[in-house]
Amino acid sequence: MVIGDTPFGSSCLSGRFLHESRSALKLMKSFPPNRARVLIVSLFLLLSRPVLPAPSPTPVPSIASGAIRVELELIASGLHAPNDLTSVGDGRLFVDEQTGTIRILKAGALLPTPFLDL
């Protein structure tokens, strides 16, 4: 089968489909025949897959109006300008200090030796 100047084998999509779009023909002429077949099949597979509906958004919980109470709780003392607190999942908390040390808080107690001192 010959479409325009470009020969395509019988495994190609129908010639009518390609005749409907001149831009597709121009694009196809710029590719070697084997790449053109791959491009056509890829486009067909991409465009023929089922379109899934968008998931419904999660409803935003309403916030009760009125006063909000916030409390602070001391979890460790003896730290020098702590910057960050990171949980590693096994009960330990790593505390990053501005002085360049990383301290470990384990079972509510600050370990005496720094984990890392930069």
Side-chain angles (χ1 to χ4, degrees):
M1 164 172 44
V2 175
I3 300 171
D5 301 325
T6 310
F8 291 100
S10 60
S11 65
C12 180
L13 294 175
S14 71
R16 191 180 88 195
F17 173 76
L18 292 176
H19 278 298
E20 293 174 2
S21 171
R22 290 181 186 250
S23 61
L25 278 174
K26 288 178 184 176
L27 178 66
M28 298 310 297
K29 286 181 182 180
S30 67
F31 286 98
N34 288 340
R35 286 193 178 174
R37 287 185 190 126
V38 170
L39 178 66
I40 290 173
V41 171
S42 299
L43 286 172
F44 177 76
L45 292 174
L46 180 68
L47 296 174
S48 65
R49 66 186 184 105
V51 178
L52 300 175
S56 59
T58 306
V60 178
S62 61
I63 299 174
S65 61
I68 298 174
R69 183 178 168 147
V70 177
E71 293 182 18
L72 299 177
E73 179 183 347
L74 181 66
I75 59 169
S77 61
L79 295 168
H80 303 285
N83 282 339
D84 194 20
L85 181 71
T86 305
S87 172
V88 291
D90 62 358
R92 295 180 298 165
L93 297 173
F94 286 74
V95 181
D96 173 27
E97 297 179 307
Q98 284 184 1
T99 58
T101 58
I102 298 177
R103 307 285 302 267
I104 298 177
L105 185 66
K106 185 175 182 180
L110 190 64
L111 297 183
T113 309
F115 174 74
L116 183 65
D117 189 356
L118 300 175

